[in-house]
Amino acid sequence: MERPASPHMASSSPDSPCSCDCFVSVPPASAIPAVIFAKNSDRPRDEVQEVVFVPAGSHTPGSRLQCTYIEVEQVSKTHAVILSRPSWLWGAEMGANEHGVCIGNEAVWTKEPVGEGEALLGMDLLRLALERSSSAQEALHVITGLLERYGQGGSCLEDPAPFSYHNTFLLADRTEAWVLETAGRLWAAQRIQEGARNISNQLSIGTDISVQHPELRTHAQAKGWWDGQGAFDFAQVFSLTQQPVRMEAAKARFRAGQELLQQWQGGITAEVMMGILRDKESGICMDSGGFRTTASMVSVLPQDPTQPCVHFLTATPDPSRSVFKPFIFGVGVAQAPQVLSPTFGAQDPVRTLPRFQTRVDRRHTLYRGHQAALGLMESDQDRGQQLQQKQQDLEQEGLKATQGLLASEWAPSLQELGSLFQAFVKRESQAYA
């Protein structure tokens, strides 16, 4: 069903509401010998986020790949991925691949202007990196290579008025993490080999740059942003001089995230990360005007390569009233139909020009059930409490099962591992029926 596009006008201004928070814990900050990754995706309130499984693939040499707006050259082999993505686009807000690489992205504005043309979205870059890399460092090289070749740009909202931004990324694997921050085609990256780190819609890499674009400093000097003397502070040099209100709010969330990670230093688990993502007081669990946290993800990446990585995804908004459901790559992995949005082919408003002149109903089955459940939680206290208890019980069951798996107390078949997410999605859908 189509309806007229919203009259809400987006823009490329950082004053427009847009926020996300990414977190990572690398031992010894983690309570277990594992890297733990987490992200809240904060997007327009009514935007649907689906969870999509894409199997590994082999591709014809020289073939082309259609991303959200532009085509790129395809590679010969791509890895299996699990993606949490706004259902109208090709890329993803967050995801993981079969090799235990996880990536989350964030919107950022810098002194470098946001281009008006269509290029690769940050979300496209994220998916391309997951499909093409087997480590966080390799994913960084994939993103920066594609950035150099194709650039980043295009509207990031399903709206006729353009809304564009540059991107920062948090990349993690079983052994380490990287923060990658971009300004147009320029970038700086920081390697995280121990401790906890977070990013929140702002440049956060200062003088501790592990690797950078070869022209980063000469460009800053040519623009008059850096005098070429003394230490080069990337965030200080490239951040906007006049910070808008939304960027100030991001600073507050960034500091709150740092403090929460610090409080749990040495004791960070998947449950701790889920608690941080559910923190409403700090704004990390967002519910502000036209924006809210539309989906969340937590991943446990054991340092022992014989143990499976576990990825918990909600596929629904507001993590404080959602279920984190476990996904593990295995033999029986297939798409869970309840978290897949309907498709509209060539008639999709993102495909027809001019884009986004109409809106379509992208709600998937679990999203519809979850929205009804949220309504009950607000209108019928007793039934709402019962539903929330069902959510909590289901999540605890998933956490205990995967904890048992990582502690070698549960030895499921590869088929059972692969179908775990499907089973939990089905049970949550039934709870809302």
Side-chain angles (χ1 to χ4, degrees), residues 405-422:
L405 173 67
L406 296 178
S408 301
E409 295 167 358
W410 176 45
S413 66
L414 289 174
Q415 190 79 27
E416 286 178 303
L417 286 181
S419 60
L420 197 62
F421 183 71
Q422 293 166 271

Side-chain angles (χ1 to χ4, degrees), residues 39-40 42 273-281 284-287 292-297 314 316-324 370 373-374 377-378 384-385 387-392 395 428 432:
K39 180 182 175 182
N40 267 356
D42 301 338
M273 284 296 200
M274 290 174 190
I276 291 173
L277 297 184
R278 287 169 165 150
D279 193 288
K280 291 201 170 187
E281 186 179 349
I284 291 169
C285 180
M286 189 186 187
D287 192 351
R292 69 174 170 183
T293 298
T294 55
S296 304
M297 172 178 168
T314 62
T316 54
D318 188 355
S320 70
R321 296 184 292 177
S322 285
V323 179
F324 283 92
H370 182 262
L374 290 188
M377 289 176 193
E378 291 165 4
Q385 285 180 345
L387 276 172
Q388 201 148 19
Q389 189 60 54
K390 283 184 179 180
Q391 288 182 328
Q392 291 167 4
E395 183 173 288
E428 185 184 359
Y432 300 146

Side-chain angles (χ1 to χ4, degrees), residues 320-341:
S320 70
R321 296 184 292 177
S322 285
V323 179
F324 283 92
K325 298 166 284 292
F327 175 93
I328 298 174
F329 287 93
V331 173
V333 177
Q335 177 65 48
Q338 300 91 337
V339 292
L340 191 65
S341 292

Side-chain angles (χ1 to χ4, degrees), residues 1-3 344 359-361 363:
M1 183 182 77
E2 292 193 359
R3 58 189 189 276
F344 301 91
R359 297 291 296 274
V360 290
D361 189 349
R363 293 176 296 170

Side-chain angles (χ1 to χ4, degrees), residues 205-226:
I205 298 174
T207 58
D208 187 8
I209 300 172
S210 304
V211 62
Q212 63 192 329
H213 189 285
E215 297 171 14
L216 184 70
R217 300 187 187 211
T218 54
H219 180 83
Q221 208 168 347
K223 288 284 190 179
W225 301 337
W226 181 55

Side-chain angles (χ1 to χ4, degrees), residues 300-321:
V300 179
L301 315 174
Q303 292 181 316
D304 180 350
T306 66
Q307 293 188 324
C309 297
V310 183
H311 312 284
F312 296 90
L313 303 109
T314 62
T316 54
D318 188 355
S320 70
R321 296 184 292 177

